[in-house]
Amino acid sequence: MTDQVEEVSVQANAELQKISSIEELESWRVRYLGRKSKLISVLRSLGDVPIDERRELGARANQVKASLEELYQAHKGKIELSKHESLERDRIDVTLPGQPYQLGRLHLTTRTIREICDIFAGMGFKVVEGPEVEWEYYNFEALNMPAEHPARDGFATLWVDYEAPGGGRPMLMRTHTSPVQIRTMEKEKPPIRVVAPGRVYRYEATDATHEWMFSQVEGLAVDRNITMADLKGTLFEFARRLFGQDRKCRFRCDYFPFVEPGVEIAIDCFMCGGKGCRLCGNSGWIEILGAGMVHPEVLRGCGIDPDEYSGFAFGMGVERIPILRYGIDDIRLFYGNDLRFLKQF
Ligand code: FA5
């Protein structure tokens, strides 16, 4: 029996070291100190032990029992303390102020595009889109700019290194949104009234008013009896709705191979009020739009009879509009990803 008591002591001590929860500790207590445990059975049967062994065995068994009880209490204290510590560590102070969420917002360009499209939607135009990676055919040829046409020099092009299946179809990053005119006229029959917003790319050096990637909104109206007066009326009305009655607009002749006649519309410079400054290149005017009557060859190329139908088209630089409005003095701020700038709008 003495051996049994020693064995219990060793085993109980070893098991206790591995215990980390109150539930495990309780089952340990029942196993080693409970009414049916070996140690308590030994103590209960002391009366059957010969008298000369009884004293020593009883003393040792009681000693082991007391030591196990003590270890039990100490271990229980340790578990409770660590539980408390982890509670303390993970405590949430509900009185602390919450962390404000950083709210995102629409980019100034997106907002301007939406505003422009809303104005034209109010005049009966539908919003359409075209691809940014475009065939040379849509960007140039179908717009009356065959290979070697000098007007291509005005559209410094980023070519895409891609071998089309069947070969011979060069691809590029569109230099303007005008190819969407062709895609629309190929698909739809007049009457047509569309605006096409989107990004365009030019292989040119940047400065305060020129970016290599910027946005345009294209417009196209084709129907019977459309005249230059419709073009002027529509674009004047647009400028008035966007910039207010005070802003001055200037119409001047311009040349684009896909329109005849062609015009350029400019607005008086916001920064200098027309006196001349860095923003307007000392001219007092900022050009925002190219426009004109759709060239008969372009209509014909899209299967629309120019003797029956006519149309006007325009293309505007989107960033120029907030530049005018807010007096932003450098277009490169738009895509510089500086939140200090973007958050202001
Ligand atoms: C065109 O892109 C013609 N497709 C516009 C057009 C459409 C004419 C339909 C006739 C009929 P242009 O290259 O001028 O034209 O560009 C149009 C507008 O885009 C300009 O008035 C200007 O506001 C803006 N723009 C041109 N180049 C840049 C640039 N590098 N950075 C920022 N904006 C630019």
PDB file of all heavy atoms in Angstrom, residues 154-155 175-178 181 202 204 209-211 214 216 218 256 258-259 287-292 313-317 319-320 331, ligand 1:
ATOM      1  N   GLY A 154      -1.013  65.795 -85.214  1.00  0.00           N
ATOM      2  CA  GLY A 154      -1.645  66.446 -84.059  1.00  0.00           C
ATOM      3  C   GLY A 154      -2.073  65.432 -83.003  1.00  0.00           C
ATOM      4  O   GLY A 154      -2.480  65.811 -81.903  1.00  0.00           O
ATOM      5  N   PHE A 155      -2.002  64.149 -83.353  1.00  0.00           N
ATOM      6  CA  PHE A 155      -2.416  63.104 -82.405  1.00  0.00           C
ATOM      7  C   PHE A 155      -1.230  62.162 -82.167  1.00  0.00           C
ATOM      8  O   PHE A 155      -1.195  61.054 -82.695  1.00  0.00           O
ATOM      9  CB  PHE A 155      -3.596  62.308 -82.970  1.00  0.00           C
ATOM     10  CG  PHE A 155      -4.823  63.135 -83.217  1.00  0.00           C
ATOM     11  CD1 PHE A 155      -5.118  63.626 -84.477  1.00  0.00           C
ATOM     12  CD2 PHE A 155      -5.698  63.424 -82.176  1.00  0.00           C
ATOM     13  CE1 PHE A 155      -6.261  64.385 -84.710  1.00  0.00           C
ATOM     14  CE2 PHE A 155      -6.842  64.195 -82.403  1.00  0.00           C
ATOM     15  CZ  PHE A 155      -7.123  64.669 -83.669  1.00  0.00           C
ATOM     16  N   THR A 175      -6.400  58.113 -79.396  1.00  0.00           N
ATOM     17  CA  THR A 175      -5.875  59.450 -79.124  1.00  0.00           C
ATOM     18  C   THR A 175      -6.999  60.458 -78.895  1.00  0.00           C
ATOM     19  O   THR A 175      -6.747  61.607 -78.534  1.00  0.00           O
ATOM     20  CB  THR A 175      -5.009  59.944 -80.306  1.00  0.00           C
ATOM     21  OG1 THR A 175      -5.822  59.901 -81.477  1.00  0.00           O
ATOM     22  CG2 THR A 175      -3.792  59.083 -80.496  1.00  0.00           C
ATOM     23  N   HIS A 176      -8.234  60.033 -79.168  1.00  0.00           N
ATOM     24  CA  HIS A 176      -9.408  60.880 -78.917  1.00  0.00           C
ATOM     25  C   HIS A 176     -10.637  59.967 -78.841  1.00  0.00           C
ATOM     26  O   HIS A 176     -10.539  58.758 -79.121  1.00  0.00           O
ATOM     27  CB  HIS A 176      -9.563  61.964 -79.998  1.00  0.00           C
ATOM     28  CG  HIS A 176      -9.516  61.480 -81.420  1.00  0.00           C
ATOM     29  ND1 HIS A 176      -9.792  62.280 -82.489  1.00  0.00           N
ATOM     30  CD2 HIS A 176      -9.240  60.255 -81.953  1.00  0.00           C
ATOM     31  CE1 HIS A 176      -9.678  61.594 -83.614  1.00  0.00           C
ATOM     32  NE2 HIS A 176      -9.343  60.358 -83.311  1.00  0.00           N
ATOM     33  N   THR A 177     -11.767  60.529 -78.458  1.00  0.00           N
ATOM     34  CA  THR A 177     -12.977  59.699 -78.349  1.00  0.00           C
ATOM     35  C   THR A 177     -13.747  59.651 -79.673  1.00  0.00           C
ATOM     36  O   THR A 177     -14.776  58.983 -79.771  1.00  0.00           O
ATOM     37  CB  THR A 177     -13.896  60.222 -77.217  1.00  0.00           C
ATOM     38  OG1 THR A 177     -13.920  61.646 -77.254  1.00  0.00           O
ATOM     39  CG2 THR A 177     -13.443  59.749 -75.855  1.00  0.00           C
ATOM     40  N   SER A 178     -13.232  60.327 -80.709  1.00  0.00           N
ATOM     41  CA  SER A 178     -13.946  60.356 -81.996  1.00  0.00           C
ATOM     42  C   SER A 178     -14.195  58.974 -82.620  1.00  0.00           C
ATOM     43  O   SER A 178     -15.195  58.812 -83.327  1.00  0.00           O
ATOM     44  CB  SER A 178     -13.216  61.275 -82.973  1.00  0.00           C
ATOM     45  OG  SER A 178     -13.216  62.588 -82.458  1.00  0.00           O
ATOM     46  N   GLN A 181     -17.671  57.798 -82.510  1.00  0.00           N
ATOM     47  CA  GLN A 181     -18.632  58.274 -83.524  1.00  0.00           C
ATOM     48  C   GLN A 181     -18.832  57.199 -84.577  1.00  0.00           C
ATOM     49  O   GLN A 181     -19.965  56.864 -84.951  1.00  0.00           O
ATOM     50  CB  GLN A 181     -18.064  59.494 -84.264  1.00  0.00           C
ATOM     51  CG  GLN A 181     -18.000  60.786 -83.526  1.00  0.00           C
ATOM     52  CD  GLN A 181     -17.461  61.873 -84.493  1.00  0.00           C
ATOM     53  OE1 GLN A 181     -17.756  61.873 -85.681  1.00  0.00           O
ATOM     54  NE2 GLN A 181     -16.676  62.774 -83.942  1.00  0.00           N
ATOM     55  N   ARG A 202      -2.055  60.316 -75.352  1.00  0.00           N
ATOM     56  CA  ARG A 202      -1.206  60.941 -76.377  1.00  0.00           C
ATOM     57  C   ARG A 202       0.247  60.886 -75.948  1.00  0.00           C
ATOM     58  O   ARG A 202       0.559  61.115 -74.777  1.00  0.00           O
ATOM     59  CB  ARG A 202      -1.625  62.392 -76.621  1.00  0.00           C
ATOM     60  CG  ARG A 202      -3.003  62.419 -77.238  1.00  0.00           C
ATOM     61  CD  ARG A 202      -3.343  63.715 -77.890  1.00  0.00           C
ATOM     62  NE  ARG A 202      -4.747  63.679 -78.267  1.00  0.00           N
ATOM     63  CZ  ARG A 202      -5.441  64.711 -78.674  1.00  0.00           C
ATOM     64  NH1 ARG A 202      -4.852  65.877 -78.769  1.00  0.00           N
ATOM     65  NH2 ARG A 202      -6.699  64.595 -78.987  1.00  0.00           N
ATOM     66  N   GLU A 204       2.859  62.637 -75.670  1.00  0.00           N
ATOM     67  CA  GLU A 204       3.412  63.997 -75.699  1.00  0.00           C
ATOM     68  C   GLU A 204       3.915  64.427 -74.325  1.00  0.00           C
ATOM     69  O   GLU A 204       3.517  63.867 -73.292  1.00  0.00           O
ATOM     70  CB  GLU A 204       2.377  65.002 -76.239  1.00  0.00           C
ATOM     71  CG  GLU A 204       1.063  65.044 -75.506  1.00  0.00           C
ATOM     72  CD  GLU A 204       0.072  66.024 -76.173  1.00  0.00           C
ATOM     73  OE1 GLU A 204      -0.152  65.940 -77.386  1.00  0.00           O
ATOM     74  OE2 GLU A 204      -0.456  66.862 -75.438  1.00  0.00           O
ATOM     75  N   THR A 209      -0.974  72.403 -68.844  1.00  0.00           N
ATOM     76  CA  THR A 209      -2.280  72.202 -69.491  1.00  0.00           C
ATOM     77  C   THR A 209      -2.336  70.940 -70.356  1.00  0.00           C
ATOM     78  O   THR A 209      -3.352  70.680 -70.991  1.00  0.00           O
ATOM     79  CB  THR A 209      -2.660  73.416 -70.373  1.00  0.00           C
ATOM     80  OG1 THR A 209      -1.587  73.642 -71.297  1.00  0.00           O
ATOM     81  CG2 THR A 209      -2.913  74.659 -69.556  1.00  0.00           C
ATOM     82  N   HIS A 210      -1.258  70.174 -70.390  1.00  0.00           N
ATOM     83  CA  HIS A 210      -1.250  68.953 -71.211  1.00  0.00           C
ATOM     84  C   HIS A 210      -0.820  67.739 -70.410  1.00  0.00           C
ATOM     85  O   HIS A 210       0.213  67.763 -69.745  1.00  0.00           O
ATOM     86  CB  HIS A 210      -0.293  69.110 -72.410  1.00  0.00           C
ATOM     87  CG  HIS A 210      -0.778  70.119 -73.382  1.00  0.00           C
ATOM     88  ND1 HIS A 210      -0.509  71.465 -73.253  1.00  0.00           N
ATOM     89  CD2 HIS A 210      -1.537  69.991 -74.499  1.00  0.00           C
ATOM     90  CE1 HIS A 210      -1.083  72.113 -74.257  1.00  0.00           C
ATOM     91  NE2 HIS A 210      -1.720  71.243 -75.021  1.00  0.00           N
ATOM     92  N   GLU A 211      -1.609  66.682 -70.484  1.00  0.00           N
ATOM     93  CA  GLU A 211      -1.270  65.398 -69.869  1.00  0.00           C
ATOM     94  C   GLU A 211      -1.105  64.385 -70.986  1.00  0.00           C
ATOM     95  O   GLU A 211      -1.623  64.586 -72.091  1.00  0.00           O
ATOM     96  CB  GLU A 211      -2.419  64.939 -68.943  1.00  0.00           C
ATOM     97  CG  GLU A 211      -2.130  65.040 -67.456  1.00  0.00           C
ATOM     98  CD  GLU A 211      -1.001  64.155 -66.950  1.00  0.00           C
ATOM     99  OE1 GLU A 211      -0.327  63.491 -67.750  1.00  0.00           O
ATOM    100  OE2 GLU A 211      -0.783  64.155 -65.726  1.00  0.00           O
ATOM    101  N   PHE A 214      -5.624  61.730 -70.576  1.00  0.00           N
ATOM    102  CA  PHE A 214      -6.655  62.648 -70.087  1.00  0.00           C
ATOM    103  C   PHE A 214      -8.011  62.135 -70.542  1.00  0.00           C
ATOM    104  O   PHE A 214      -8.097  61.023 -71.092  1.00  0.00           O
ATOM    105  CB  PHE A 214      -6.369  64.081 -70.564  1.00  0.00           C
ATOM    106  CG  PHE A 214      -6.273  64.250 -72.058  1.00  0.00           C
ATOM    107  CD1 PHE A 214      -7.348  64.744 -72.786  1.00  0.00           C
ATOM    108  CD2 PHE A 214      -5.124  63.910 -72.747  1.00  0.00           C
ATOM    109  CE1 PHE A 214      -7.267  64.899 -74.172  1.00  0.00           C
ATOM    110  CE2 PHE A 214      -5.037  64.061 -74.123  1.00  0.00           C
ATOM    111  CZ  PHE A 214      -6.105  64.555 -74.837  1.00  0.00           C
ATOM    112  N   GLN A 216     -11.892  62.752 -72.431  1.00  0.00           N
ATOM    113  CA  GLN A 216     -12.696  63.568 -73.356  1.00  0.00           C
ATOM    114  C   GLN A 216     -14.146  63.108 -73.292  1.00  0.00           C
ATOM    115  O   GLN A 216     -14.435  61.992 -72.857  1.00  0.00           O
ATOM    116  CB  GLN A 216     -12.206  63.366 -74.805  1.00  0.00           C
ATOM    117  CG  GLN A 216     -10.886  64.028 -75.111  1.00  0.00           C
ATOM    118  CD  GLN A 216     -10.534  63.960 -76.597  1.00  0.00           C
ATOM    119  OE1 GLN A 216     -11.034  63.119 -77.335  1.00  0.00           O
ATOM    120  NE2 GLN A 216      -9.662  64.847 -77.040  1.00  0.00           N
ATOM    121  N   GLU A 218     -17.088  62.919 -76.156  1.00  0.00           N
ATOM    122  CA  GLU A 218     -17.416  63.104 -77.560  1.00  0.00           C
ATOM    123  C   GLU A 218     -18.917  63.297 -77.691  1.00  0.00           C
ATOM    124  O   GLU A 218     -19.688  62.736 -76.889  1.00  0.00           O
ATOM    125  CB  GLU A 218     -17.002  61.818 -78.307  1.00  0.00           C
ATOM    126  CG  GLU A 218     -17.031  61.927 -79.791  1.00  0.00           C
ATOM    127  CD  GLU A 218     -15.778  62.644 -80.317  1.00  0.00           C
ATOM    128  OE1 GLU A 218     -14.854  62.900 -79.531  1.00  0.00           O
ATOM    129  OE2 GLU A 218     -15.763  62.958 -81.518  1.00  0.00           O
ATOM    130  N   PHE A 256     -10.356  69.916 -88.545  1.00  0.00           N
ATOM    131  CA  PHE A 256     -10.275  68.501 -88.193  1.00  0.00           C
ATOM    132  C   PHE A 256     -10.732  67.747 -89.450  1.00  0.00           C
ATOM    133  O   PHE A 256     -11.785  68.101 -90.013  1.00  0.00           O
ATOM    134  CB  PHE A 256     -11.228  68.156 -87.034  1.00  0.00           C
ATOM    135  CG  PHE A 256     -10.942  68.904 -85.759  1.00  0.00           C
ATOM    136  CD1 PHE A 256     -11.647  70.061 -85.448  1.00  0.00           C
ATOM    137  CD2 PHE A 256      -9.970  68.459 -84.869  1.00  0.00           C
ATOM    138  CE1 PHE A 256     -11.388  70.762 -84.279  1.00  0.00           C
ATOM    139  CE2 PHE A 256      -9.705  69.156 -83.705  1.00  0.00           C
ATOM    140  CZ  PHE A 256     -10.421  70.310 -83.406  1.00  0.00           C
ATOM    141  N   PHE A 258     -12.253  65.187 -90.028  1.00  0.00           N
ATOM    142  CA  PHE A 258     -13.530  64.453 -89.984  1.00  0.00           C
ATOM    143  C   PHE A 258     -14.751  65.363 -89.891  1.00  0.00           C
ATOM    144  O   PHE A 258     -15.875  64.884 -89.765  1.00  0.00           O
ATOM    145  CB  PHE A 258     -13.530  63.426 -88.831  1.00  0.00           C
ATOM    146  CG  PHE A 258     -12.790  63.877 -87.597  1.00  0.00           C
ATOM    147  CD1 PHE A 258     -13.466  64.404 -86.515  1.00  0.00           C
ATOM    148  CD2 PHE A 258     -11.413  63.768 -87.521  1.00  0.00           C
ATOM    149  CE1 PHE A 258     -12.784  64.814 -85.378  1.00  0.00           C
ATOM    150  CE2 PHE A 258     -10.716  64.183 -86.402  1.00  0.00           C
ATOM    151  CZ  PHE A 258     -11.404  64.709 -85.332  1.00  0.00           C
ATOM    152  N   VAL A 259     -14.515  66.698 -89.912  1.00  0.00           N
ATOM    153  CA  VAL A 259     -15.651  67.632 -89.923  1.00  0.00           C
ATOM    154  C   VAL A 259     -15.421  68.700 -90.987  1.00  0.00           C
ATOM    155  O   VAL A 259     -14.279  69.019 -91.337  1.00  0.00           O
ATOM    156  CB  VAL A 259     -15.865  68.316 -88.541  1.00  0.00           C
ATOM    157  CG1 VAL A 259     -16.456  67.363 -87.532  1.00  0.00           C
ATOM    158  CG2 VAL A 259     -14.578  68.945 -88.031  1.00  0.00           C
ATOM    159  N   GLU A 287      -8.951  76.732 -74.593  1.00  0.00           N
ATOM    160  CA  GLU A 287      -9.712  75.960 -75.559  1.00  0.00           C
ATOM    161  C   GLU A 287     -10.278  74.719 -74.860  1.00  0.00           C
ATOM    162  O   GLU A 287      -9.558  74.030 -74.156  1.00  0.00           O
ATOM    163  CB  GLU A 287      -8.724  75.620 -76.680  1.00  0.00           C
ATOM    164  CG  GLU A 287      -9.056  74.490 -77.541  1.00  0.00           C
ATOM    165  CD  GLU A 287      -7.765  73.806 -78.043  1.00  0.00           C
ATOM    166  OE1 GLU A 287      -6.700  74.445 -78.124  1.00  0.00           O
ATOM    167  OE2 GLU A 287      -7.851  72.617 -78.331  1.00  0.00           O
ATOM    168  N   ILE A 288     -11.599  74.501 -74.983  1.00  0.00           N
ATOM    169  CA  ILE A 288     -12.146  73.296 -74.333  1.00  0.00           C
ATOM    170  C   ILE A 288     -12.758  72.317 -75.329  1.00  0.00           C
ATOM    171  O   ILE A 288     -13.031  71.177 -74.993  1.00  0.00           O
ATOM    172  CB  ILE A 288     -13.216  73.618 -73.257  1.00  0.00           C
ATOM    173  CG1 ILE A 288     -14.379  74.416 -73.842  1.00  0.00           C
ATOM    174  CG2 ILE A 288     -12.623  74.286 -72.038  1.00  0.00           C
ATOM    175  CD1 ILE A 288     -15.661  74.264 -73.042  1.00  0.00           C
ATOM    176  N   LEU A 289     -12.977  72.769 -76.527  1.00  0.00           N
ATOM    177  CA  LEU A 289     -13.764  71.943 -77.441  1.00  0.00           C
ATOM    178  C   LEU A 289     -13.309  72.048 -78.881  1.00  0.00           C
ATOM    179  O   LEU A 289     -12.981  73.131 -79.341  1.00  0.00           O
ATOM    180  CB  LEU A 289     -15.177  72.526 -77.451  1.00  0.00           C
ATOM    181  CG  LEU A 289     -16.327  71.845 -76.789  1.00  0.00           C
ATOM    182  CD1 LEU A 289     -17.528  72.727 -76.845  1.00  0.00           C
ATOM    183  CD2 LEU A 289     -16.603  70.546 -77.464  1.00  0.00           C
ATOM    184  N   GLY A 290     -13.337  70.909 -79.560  1.00  0.00           N
ATOM    185  CA  GLY A 290     -13.206  70.916 -81.012  1.00  0.00           C
ATOM    186  C   GLY A 290     -14.554  70.423 -81.529  1.00  0.00           C
ATOM    187  O   GLY A 290     -15.178  69.554 -80.911  1.00  0.00           O
ATOM    188  N   ALA A 291     -15.036  70.968 -82.642  1.00  0.00           N
ATOM    189  CA  ALA A 291     -16.359  70.560 -83.125  1.00  0.00           C
ATOM    190  C   ALA A 291     -16.492  70.828 -84.615  1.00  0.00           C
ATOM    191  O   ALA A 291     -15.568  71.375 -85.239  1.00  0.00           O
ATOM    192  CB  ALA A 291     -17.444  71.320 -82.357  1.00  0.00           C
ATOM    193  N   GLY A 292     -17.626  70.442 -85.176  1.00  0.00           N
ATOM    194  CA  GLY A 292     -17.869  70.726 -86.595  1.00  0.00           C
ATOM    195  C   GLY A 292     -19.003  69.892 -87.145  1.00  0.00           C
ATOM    196  O   GLY A 292     -19.607  69.086 -86.422  1.00  0.00           O
ATOM    197  N   ALA A 313     -20.593  67.106 -84.676  1.00  0.00           N
ATOM    198  CA  ALA A 313     -19.842  66.332 -83.680  1.00  0.00           C
ATOM    199  C   ALA A 313     -18.976  67.295 -82.886  1.00  0.00           C
ATOM    200  O   ALA A 313     -18.625  68.375 -83.373  1.00  0.00           O
ATOM    201  CB  ALA A 313     -18.977  65.291 -84.385  1.00  0.00           C
ATOM    202  N   PHE A 314     -18.676  66.894 -81.671  1.00  0.00           N
ATOM    203  CA  PHE A 314     -17.760  67.713 -80.865  1.00  0.00           C
ATOM    204  C   PHE A 314     -16.973  66.799 -79.931  1.00  0.00           C
ATOM    205  O   PHE A 314     -17.379  65.658 -79.661  1.00  0.00           O
ATOM    206  CB  PHE A 314     -18.535  68.770 -80.043  1.00  0.00           C
ATOM    207  CG  PHE A 314     -19.600  68.191 -79.132  1.00  0.00           C
ATOM    208  CD1 PHE A 314     -19.296  67.780 -77.846  1.00  0.00           C
ATOM    209  CD2 PHE A 314     -20.912  68.068 -79.587  1.00  0.00           C
ATOM    210  CE1 PHE A 314     -20.284  67.257 -77.019  1.00  0.00           C
ATOM    211  CE2 PHE A 314     -21.893  67.540 -78.756  1.00  0.00           C
ATOM    212  CZ  PHE A 314     -21.586  67.128 -77.466  1.00  0.00           C
ATOM    213  N   GLY A 315     -15.827  67.285 -79.487  1.00  0.00           N
ATOM    214  CA  GLY A 315     -15.013  66.536 -78.530  1.00  0.00           C
ATOM    215  C   GLY A 315     -14.393  67.521 -77.567  1.00  0.00           C
ATOM    216  O   GLY A 315     -13.792  68.512 -77.999  1.00  0.00           O
ATOM    217  N   MET A 316     -14.584  67.270 -76.268  1.00  0.00           N
ATOM    218  CA  MET A 316     -14.056  68.249 -75.300  1.00  0.00           C
ATOM    219  C   MET A 316     -13.104  67.597 -74.306  1.00  0.00           C
ATOM    220  O   MET A 316     -13.220  66.408 -74.004  1.00  0.00           O
ATOM    221  CB  MET A 316     -15.205  68.926 -74.543  1.00  0.00           C
ATOM    222  CG  MET A 316     -15.908  68.041 -73.551  1.00  0.00           C
ATOM    223  SD  MET A 316     -17.274  68.915 -72.808  1.00  0.00           S
ATOM    224  CE  MET A 316     -18.508  68.775 -74.067  1.00  0.00           C
ATOM    225  N   GLY A 317     -12.164  68.380 -73.826  1.00  0.00           N
ATOM    226  CA  GLY A 317     -11.249  67.916 -72.790  1.00  0.00           C
ATOM    227  C   GLY A 317     -11.929  68.090 -71.438  1.00  0.00           C
ATOM    228  O   GLY A 317     -12.317  69.199 -71.074  1.00  0.00           O
ATOM    229  N   GLU A 319     -10.800  67.556 -68.222  1.00  0.00           N
ATOM    230  CA  GLU A 319     -10.061  68.179 -67.109  1.00  0.00           C
ATOM    231  C   GLU A 319     -10.051  69.701 -67.216  1.00  0.00           C
ATOM    232  O   GLU A 319      -9.969  70.401 -66.213  1.00  0.00           O
ATOM    233  CB  GLU A 319      -8.622  67.659 -67.058  1.00  0.00           C
ATOM    234  CG  GLU A 319      -8.508  66.194 -66.640  1.00  0.00           C
ATOM    235  CD  GLU A 319      -8.809  65.233 -67.778  1.00  0.00           C
ATOM    236  OE1 GLU A 319      -9.001  65.698 -68.922  1.00  0.00           O
ATOM    237  OE2 GLU A 319      -8.868  64.014 -67.517  1.00  0.00           O
ATOM    238  N   ARG A 320     -10.123  70.204 -68.441  1.00  0.00           N
ATOM    239  CA  ARG A 320     -10.103  71.655 -68.614  1.00  0.00           C
ATOM    240  C   ARG A 320     -11.282  72.318 -67.891  1.00  0.00           C
ATOM    241  O   ARG A 320     -11.209  73.489 -67.549  1.00  0.00           O
ATOM    242  CB  ARG A 320     -10.173  72.024 -70.099  1.00  0.00           C
ATOM    243  CG  ARG A 320      -9.024  71.482 -70.918  1.00  0.00           C
ATOM    244  CD  ARG A 320      -7.903  72.524 -71.084  1.00  0.00           C
ATOM    245  NE  ARG A 320      -6.661  71.856 -71.424  1.00  0.00           N
ATOM    246  CZ  ARG A 320      -6.088  71.889 -72.610  1.00  0.00           C
ATOM    247  NH1 ARG A 320      -6.642  72.561 -73.575  1.00  0.00           N
ATOM    248  NH2 ARG A 320      -4.962  71.267 -72.806  1.00  0.00           N
ATOM    249  N   ILE A 331      -2.695  70.633 -64.665  1.00  0.00           N
ATOM    250  CA  ILE A 331      -3.491  69.434 -64.988  1.00  0.00           C
ATOM    251  C   ILE A 331      -2.847  68.163 -64.423  1.00  0.00           C
ATOM    252  O   ILE A 331      -3.524  67.173 -64.165  1.00  0.00           O
ATOM    253  CB  ILE A 331      -3.685  69.308 -66.524  1.00  0.00           C
ATOM    254  CG1 ILE A 331      -4.756  68.260 -66.845  1.00  0.00           C
ATOM    255  CG2 ILE A 331      -2.386  69.016 -67.235  1.00  0.00           C
ATOM    256  CD1 ILE A 331      -5.135  68.161 -68.298  1.00  0.00           C
TER     257      ILE A 331
HETATM  258  C1  FA5 B   1      -9.824  66.205 -80.783  1.00  0.00           C
HETATM  259  O1  FA5 B   1      -9.380  65.357 -80.048  1.00  0.00           O
HETATM  260  C2  FA5 B   1     -10.974  65.942 -81.687  1.00  0.00           C
HETATM  261  N1  FA5 B   1     -11.286  64.552 -81.691  1.00  0.00           N
HETATM  262  C3  FA5 B   1     -12.149  66.785 -81.204  1.00  0.00           C
HETATM  263  C4  FA5 B   1     -13.287  66.848 -82.161  1.00  0.00           C
HETATM  264  C5  FA5 B   1     -14.324  65.951 -82.056  1.00  0.00           C
HETATM  265  C6  FA5 B   1     -13.305  67.790 -83.190  1.00  0.00           C
HETATM  266  C7  FA5 B   1     -15.379  65.975 -82.924  1.00  0.00           C
HETATM  267  C8  FA5 B   1     -14.343  67.813 -84.062  1.00  0.00           C
HETATM  268  C9  FA5 B   1     -15.371  66.946 -83.932  1.00  0.00           C
HETATM  269  P1  FA5 B   1      -8.227  68.065 -79.899  1.00  0.00           P
HETATM  270  O2  FA5 B   1      -6.943  67.366 -80.172  1.00  0.00           O
HETATM  271  O3  FA5 B   1      -8.206  69.522 -80.114  1.00  0.00           O
HETATM  272  O4  FA5 B   1      -9.401  67.479 -80.785  1.00  0.00           O
HETATM  273  O5  FA5 B   1      -8.683  67.769 -78.413  1.00  0.00           O
HETATM  274  C10 FA5 B   1      -9.949  68.150 -77.931  1.00  0.00           C
HETATM  275  C11 FA5 B   1      -9.820  68.758 -76.526  1.00  0.00           C
HETATM  276  O6  FA5 B   1      -9.096  67.868 -75.678  1.00  0.00           O
HETATM  277  C12 FA5 B   1      -9.030  70.038 -76.527  1.00  0.00           C
HETATM  278  O7  FA5 B   1      -9.860  71.132 -76.773  1.00  0.00           O
HETATM  279  C13 FA5 B   1      -8.498  70.084 -75.115  1.00  0.00           C
HETATM  280  O8  FA5 B   1      -9.461  70.607 -74.215  1.00  0.00           O
HETATM  281  C14 FA5 B   1      -8.317  68.627 -74.775  1.00  0.00           C
HETATM  282  N2  FA5 B   1      -6.908  68.228 -74.875  1.00  0.00           N
HETATM  283  C15 FA5 B   1      -6.188  68.035 -75.998  1.00  0.00           C
HETATM  284  N3  FA5 B   1      -4.945  67.634 -75.715  1.00  0.00           N
HETATM  285  C16 FA5 B   1      -4.861  67.573 -74.384  1.00  0.00           C
HETATM  286  C17 FA5 B   1      -3.822  67.206 -73.441  1.00  0.00           C
HETATM  287  N4  FA5 B   1      -2.623  66.790 -73.851  1.00  0.00           N
HETATM  288  N5  FA5 B   1      -4.094  67.238 -72.116  1.00  0.00           N
HETATM  289  C18 FA5 B   1      -5.319  67.607 -71.691  1.00  0.00           C
HETATM  290  N6  FA5 B   1      -6.342  67.955 -72.503  1.00  0.00           N
HETATM  291  C19 FA5 B   1      -6.111  67.942 -73.835  1.00  0.00           C
END
